[in-house]
């Protein structure tokens, strides 16, 4: 159960982060952005929406924190199935986790009455005090709490880093929710454009604190380019920085749009047309950043990984052009020596690596064909090119057959039994995702589904798939061979998120901006295929 426990631990940690962003970030958004301008029925409904979402987020974080605590003794159960619960509850980690969960639960319940009395200032300040305690209690659960040197400084800086992320990303989530609500309320159309300018300096301050605290943590946990490029901790940080750069670009576009509206009254229509789409996307990418951060905290700091650290040339070789593996490994010979997918200590065999290379390289061919088909569909007038999504179906069949050679249908291990291994589970989910992408996009492109209702399915599935891939880990141990696999998967995850982002903008915007976005996501799609085509395990 060790492998599945590691995967679930990252997933629950990601839910804690997203829940805290909604809960604690909602308190800041209500007190600093919404309450000073909330008037009338629209303002009351807006505050009630913030209270409801904040309460839901805090309770989600509490439930995820408790679930994360349950994972540890479950993974350490003995052969008879007995959990070492008493011993686990005596650890500092368990006690800190229970305190954090209890305070987060109190925060959620404190905001439930605010749904009915949204202008109760005392209730919001009570929630603010609880939010401070929640964030402070999380300091006992970070890497810094286990360090021998500079422990207090690392814990404090990490909490400041988390607070900055909560204020920025959580506030962006609430700003998006306000747009969804206020556009349907009388007077809401006047209130929402006032929220974005008020939130903008708060978001900028949060980003500044995020970068400053992140710089100190980088120096303490990575300390140089060798750890940045040669460890899982370092490359996950690079992934976070890339995603954050994308989110900041969207924030910059929001700032310029607001500034232009202030300078020219005729530009107010641009705020209503462009700003909601950019804010939605900034919030979505922010949620993915939180998921990537959860995967980052599940890795040992780069300064602790020395023997299994990859060199820069090895990392660059992962992405270098190489002759693809066109033929699979001999199936009978491979299965005879292949380790079980359920073995957490398994090391890939030479034939297993050949099979894995074949699976990824052939998948690259499918993805490149799909990307080129989507691009041609947008630049030509050929009606038959609308059927390009049907290529997803043979791709899904290929994945079903070869993705797990030791499992059903080719191997001796059962379909359901192997799903407890996170890499197997992720591959099976990827197969379902490929089927969903193909069917929905094909039906939308051919007019069989209402484009107004279903046009967001494709970018949403791309973004969700990329986010899940960024939380996927091949091993709980810091081994070089596993890290070099994850490097390519991180790149694919980022490109998938970018596909979803550009696809979303294609549907939400119009004119030239929509056309540019419609050309950008097929390019990202094709680049995913290129990464897969040159995939090679050492």
């Amino acid at each position: 159960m060790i492998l599945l426990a590691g995967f679930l631990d990252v997933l629950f940690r990601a839910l804690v982060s997203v829940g805290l962003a909604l809960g604690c970030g909602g308190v800041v958004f209500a007190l600093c952005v919404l309450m000073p301008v909330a008037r009338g029925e629209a303002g009351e409904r807006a505050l009630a929406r913030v209270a409801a979402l904040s309460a839901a987020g805090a309770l989600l974080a509490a439930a995820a924190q408790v679930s994360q605590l349950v994972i540890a003794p479950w993974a350490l159960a003995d052969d008879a199935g007995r959990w070492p619960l008493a011993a686990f509850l005596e650890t500092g980690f368990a006690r800190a986790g229970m305190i954090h969960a209890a305070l987060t639960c109190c925060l959620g319940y404190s905001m439930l009455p605010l749904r009915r009395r949204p202008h109760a200032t005392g209730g919001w300040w009570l929630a603010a005090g609880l939010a401070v305690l929640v964030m402070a209690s999380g300091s006992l659960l970070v890497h810094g709490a286990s360090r021998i040197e500079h422990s207090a400084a690392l814990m404090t800086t990490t909490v400041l880093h988390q607070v900055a992320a909560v204020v920025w990303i959580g506030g962006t989530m609430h700003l998006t929710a306000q747009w969804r609500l206020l556009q349907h309320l009388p007077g809401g159309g006047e209130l929402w454009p006032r929220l974005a300018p008020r939130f903008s300096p708060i978001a900028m301050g949060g980003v500044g604190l995020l970068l400053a605290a992140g710089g100190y943590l980088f120096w303490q946990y990575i300390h140089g380019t060798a750890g940045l490029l040669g460890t899982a901790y370092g490359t996950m940080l690079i992934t976070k920085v890339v995603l954050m750069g994308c989110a900041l670009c969207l924030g910059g576009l929001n700032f310029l749009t607001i500034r232009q509206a202030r300078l020219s009254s005729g530009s107010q229509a641009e705020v209503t047309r462009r700003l909601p789409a950019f804010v939605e996307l900034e919030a979505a990418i922010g949620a993915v950043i939180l998921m990537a951060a959860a995967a980052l905290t599940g890795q040992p700091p780069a300064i602790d990984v020395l023997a299994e650290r990859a060199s820069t040339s090895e990392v660059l070789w992962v992405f270098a052009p190489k002759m693809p593996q066109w033929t699979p490994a001999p199936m009978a010979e491979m299965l005879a020596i292949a380790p079980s997918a359920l073995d957490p200590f398994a090391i890939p065999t030479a034939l297993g690596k050949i099979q894995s290379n074949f699976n990824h390289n052939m998948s690259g061919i499918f993805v490149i064909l799909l990307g080129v088909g989507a691009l041609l569909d947008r630049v030509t007038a050929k009606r038959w090119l609308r059927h390009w999504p049907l290529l997803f179906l043979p791709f899904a069949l290929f994945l079903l057959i070869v993705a797990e050679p030791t499992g059903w249908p080719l191997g001796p291990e059962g379909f359901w039994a192997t799903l407890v291994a996170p890499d197997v589970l992720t591959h099976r989910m990827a197969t379902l995702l490929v089927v969903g992408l193909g069917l929905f996009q094909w039906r939308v492109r051919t007019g069989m589904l209402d484009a107004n209702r279903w046009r967001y399915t494709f970018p949403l599935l791309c973004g969700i798939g990329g986010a899940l891939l960024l939380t996927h880990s091949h091993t709980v141990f810091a081994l070089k061979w596993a890290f070099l696999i994850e490097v390519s998967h991180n790149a694919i995850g980022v490109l998938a998120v970018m596909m979803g982002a550009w696809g979303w903008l294609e549907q939400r915007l119009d004119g030239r901006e929509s056309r540019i976005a419609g050309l950008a996501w097929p390019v990202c799609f094709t680049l995913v295929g290129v990464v897969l085509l040159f995939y090679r395990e050492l």
Side-chain angles (χ1 to χ4, degrees), residues 141-269:
L141 300 171
V142 301
H143 278 308
S146 63
R147 309 303 295 183
I148 297 176
E149 297 179 348
H150 313 297
S151 177
L154 287 169
M155 292 166 64
T156 302
T157 306
T158 303
V159 169
L160 292 175
H161 188 70
Q162 292 172 343
V163 168
V166 160
V167 170
W168 169 41
I169 298 174
T172 307
M173 292 176 178
H174 282 280
L175 189 61
T176 300
Q178 291 302 311
W179 161 254
R180 293 291 179 181
L181 171 70
L182 294 175
Q183 64 177 326
H184 301 297
L185 292 179
E190 299 176 1
L191 176 58
W192 194 85
R194 300 173 65 186
L195 299 181
R198 291 188 62 85
F199 175 67
S200 183
I202 295 174
M204 292 173 65
V207 170
L209 179 58
L210 189 74
L211 293 174
Y216 175 77
L217 295 175
F218 168 82
W219 183 254
Q220 293 294 328
Y221 288 144
I222 297 178
H223 198 67
T225 57
L228 185 65
L229 295 176
T231 65
Y233 190 94
T235 54
M236 283 306 300
L237 177 61
I238 293 175
T239 300
K240 273 184 57 180
V241 170
V242 171
L243 292 172
M244 186 174 174
C246 296
L248 290 179
C249 286
L250 291 167
L253 291 173
N254 293 338
F255 176 79
L256 292 176
T257 302
I258 294 169
R259 187 164 180 259
Q260 184 179 7
R262 284 177 173 174
L263 296 176
S264 173
S265 59
S267 300
Q268 193 65 37

Side-chain angles (χ1 to χ4, degrees), residues 103-137:
L103 288 172
T104 308
C105 190
C106 290
L107 173 62
Y109 277 107
S110 73
M111 286 187 288
L112 290 178
L114 293 172
R115 296 177 302 164
R116 298 183 297 274
R117 299 191 304 275
H119 283 287
T121 306
W124 282 109
W125 283 111
L126 172 62
L130 287 170
V132 171
L133 293 176
V134 166
M135 298 305 299
S137 66

Side-chain angles (χ1 to χ4, degrees), residues 482-517:
F483 159 67
L484 291 174
I485 293 174
E486 290 170 12
V487 166
S488 61
H489 286 191
N490 288 348
I492 294 171
V494 170
L495 287 170
V497 172
M498 292 300 98
M499 282 171 55
W502 285 114
W504 185 268
L505 290 179
E506 180 189 20
Q507 302 301 329
R508 292 288 279 116
L509 300 177
D510 51 28
R512 180 171 175 267
E513 294 167 330
S514 178
R515 290 192 296 272
I516 292 174

Side-chain angles (χ1 to χ4, degrees), residues 247-516:
L248 290 179
C249 286
L250 291 167
L253 291 173
N254 293 338
F255 176 79
L256 292 176
T257 302
I258 294 169
R259 187 164 180 259
Q260 184 179 7
R262 284 177 173 174
L263 296 176
S264 173
S265 59
S267 300
Q268 193 65 37
E270 285 296 292
V271 175
T272 305
R273 185 183 71 86
R274 300 177 65 194
L275 205 59
F278 292 151
V279 171
E280 289 168 347
L281 202 52
E282 185 179 354
I285 294 177
V288 177
I289 292 173
L290 294 177
M291 296 184 70
L296 178 69
T297 55
Q299 300 288 343
I303 56 174
D304 295 336
V305 180
L306 298 175
E308 292 294 326
R309 181 177 292 186
S311 66
T312 302
S313 59
E314 287 175 321
V315 176
L316 295 176
W317 183 84
V318 171
F319 301 101
K322 297 175 284 291
M323 179 61 67
Q325 177 70 41
W326 299 118
T327 57
M331 187 59 60
E333 297 178 25
M334 182 190 65
L335 293 178
I337 60 173
S340 170
L342 304 178
D343 182 2
F345 306 101
I347 302 296
T349 64
L351 290 178
K353 292 179 180 179
I354 291 175
Q355 182 65 37
S356 180
N357 294 336
F358 170 78
N359 296 347
H360 286 83
N361 297 161
M362 292 304 297
S363 296
I365 296 296
F366 279 108
V367 174
I368 289 173
L369 290 175
L370 284 161
V372 172
L375 188 61
L376 292 176
D377 184 28
R378 276 150 180 77
V379 299
T380 68
K382 304 293 184 182
R383 291 181 58 84
W384 60 271
L385 285 170
R386 296 179 304 164
H387 300 287
W388 67 265
L390 289 178
L391 283 172
F392 276 110
L393 300 183
F395 182 29
L397 181 62
F398 173 79
L399 291 177
L400 178 65
I401 294 173
V402 307
E404 295 302 328
T406 63
W408 183 89
L410 298 180
E413 298 180 318
F415 178 86
W416 300 107
T418 56
L419 290 182
V420 297
D423 55 337
V424 177
L425 178 62
T426 305
H427 294 159
R428 298 303 189 190
M429 291 173 62
T431 303
L432 287 176
L433 183 65
V434 166
V435 173
L437 286 171
L439 291 178
F440 276 105
Q441 188 68 359
W442 175 62
R443 290 171 67 86
V444 168
R445 293 297 299 159
T446 55
M448 287 184 279
L449 285 177
D450 182 4
N452 291 326
R453 292 186 58 191
W454 297 100
R455 57 180 176 164
Y456 299 110
T457 302
F458 185 81
L460 277 174
L461 289 178
C462 289
I464 291 171
L468 289 175
L469 193 57
L470 292 176
T471 61
H472 170 47
S473 178
H474 279 78
T475 179
V476 294
F477 310 107
L479 300 177
K480 184 195 295 188
W481 65 265
F483 159 67
L484 291 174
I485 293 174
E486 290 170 12
V487 166
S488 61
H489 286 191
N490 288 348
I492 294 171
V494 170
L495 287 170
V497 172
M498 292 300 98
M499 282 171 55
W502 285 114
W504 185 268
L505 290 179
E506 180 189 20
Q507 302 301 329
R508 292 288 279 116
L509 300 177
D510 51 28
R512 180 171 175 267
E513 294 167 330
S514 178
R515 290 192 296 272
I516 292 174

Side-chain angles (χ1 to χ4, degrees), residues 16-104:
V16 170
S17 299
V18 173
L20 290 179
L22 280 171
C24 299
V27 175
V28 176
F29 185 84
L31 289 173
C32 299
V33 178
L34 187 52
M35 289 191 73
V37 296
R39 301 290 183 272
E41 180 186 356
E44 186 169 345
R45 292 281 298 276
L47 279 170
R49 171 64 65 88
V50 173
L53 285 178
S54 299
L59 294 175
L60 170 65
Q65 182 66 68
V66 171
S67 300
Q68 188 182 2
L69 292 175
V70 171
I71 289 297
W74 171 62
L76 298 173
D78 59 22
D79 294 337
R82 292 186 297 266
W83 294 14
L85 191 58
F88 174 71
L89 292 177
E90 292 178 359
T91 64
F93 174 81
R95 292 171 181 173
M98 288 187 290
I99 293 172
H100 191 246
L103 288 172
T104 308

